[in-house]
């Protein structure tokens, strides 16, 4: 469950592909969604396909029975970043998630959080220093799709205004290139045990 938004709420088909099980649902008019997977085991790769606009991706972490992950341009940029990290590079989010080493990393909530806060967020804030995001809340904490009521949603509006993401929610070409370059210099993810560490 979580919130899908680009600033404004996103209404569209949400799909979850998990370590065990798949499921789908449609997000509500306020962007909230819930996907129920009988016998499902996380972590999961999430995507939303709105009626108009770009397909956006996100991820869950751990293997708990209930998992929260938002689907936004920021979570989509996180997936873009991670699929360019050495040791788990892939051409698409689906191909990236299919790798066992990726599921190992995503199962390790602490390891994933470290990569997000030490590696991804500094890269994101280099693209737009006025962003207020400083923790994993943008991914793991559901929010109200209203910039006046949510710092996360206000950051989504800033990304659009600055042109870091397009009006459809996809990263600009310059942003995608910057994310790929930064990820290529990140600590590799290797072996069956997942992350070797973090630090760009």
């Amino acid at each position: 469950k979580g919130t899908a938004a680009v600033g404004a709420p996103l209404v569209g088909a949400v799909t979850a592909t998990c370590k065990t099980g798949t499921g789908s649902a449609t997000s509500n008019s306020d962007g909230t969604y819930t996907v129920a997977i009988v016998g499902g085991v996380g972590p999961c790769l999430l995507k939303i396909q709105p009626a108009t606009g770009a397909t956006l991706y996100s991820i869950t972490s751990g293997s708990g029975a209930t998992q929260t992950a938002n689907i936004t341009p920021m979570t989509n940029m996180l997936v873009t970043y991670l699929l360019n990290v050495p040791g788990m590079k892939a051409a698409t989010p689906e191909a990236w998630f299919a790798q066992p080493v990726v599921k190992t990393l995503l199962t390790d909530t602490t390891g994933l959080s470290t990569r997000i806060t030490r590696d991804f967020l500094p890269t994101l804030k280099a693209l737009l220093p006025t962003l207020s995001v400083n923790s994993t809340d943008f991914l793991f904490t559901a929010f109200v799709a209203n910039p006046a009521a949510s710092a996360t949603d206000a950051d989504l509006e800033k990304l659009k205004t600055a042109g870091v993401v397009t009006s459809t929610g996809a990263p600009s070409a310059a942003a995608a290139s910057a994310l790929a370059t930064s990820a290529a210099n990140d600590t590799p993810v290797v072996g069956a045990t997942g992350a070797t560490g973090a630090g760009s």
Side-chain angles (χ1 to χ4, degrees):
K1 62 182 182 178
T3 304
V6 293
L10 271 181
V11 177
V14 178
T15 303
T17 302
C18 303
K19 182 177 179 180
T20 301
T22 60
S24 61
T26 300
S27 58
N28 300 310
S29 60
D30 62 356
T32 59
Y33 76 90
T34 300
V35 178
I37 304 172
V38 177
V41 177
C44 305
L45 176 70
L46 303 167
K47 72 176 180 179
I48 185 168
Q49 180 59 67
T52 59
T55 300
L56 299 181
Y57 290 86
S58 187
I59 48 176
T60 69
S61 184
S63 56
T66 300
Q67 300 189 325
T68 300
N70 300 312
I71 313 173
T72 70
M74 278 198 286
T75 69
N76 191 63
M77 293 171 81
L78 172 62
V79 173
T80 298
Y81 181 93
L82 290 174
L83 63 79
N84 282 284
V85 171
M88 57 180 183
K89 292 186 70 171
T92 67
E94 289 83 2
W96 170 77
F97 185 75
Q99 300 175 83
V101 69
V102 171
K103 295 183 182 68
T104 299
L105 174 64
L106 299 185
T107 300
D108 178 6
T109 299
T110 300
L112 176 64
S113 295
T114 297
R115 282 192 177 268
I116 291 171
T117 55
R118 292 188 184 176
D119 304 332
F120 170 69
L121 289 184
T123 301
L124 186 62
K125 295 184 91 166
L127 290 167
L128 187 58
T130 59
L131 292 174
S132 65
V133 60
N134 58 15
S135 72
T136 59
D137 284 355
F138 77 96
L139 174 61
F140 296 133
T141 302
F143 64 95
V144 176
N146 178 342
S150 164
T152 294
D153 204 60
D155 277 343
L156 297 178
E157 294 289 352
K158 290 178 184 178
L159 289 168
K160 282 195 298 184
T161 300
V164 176
V165 300
T166 68
S167 60
T168 66
S172 68
S177 177
L179 290 165
T181 298
S182 181
N185 295 320
D186 200 353
T187 306
V189 173
V190 295
T193 57
T196 62
S200 296

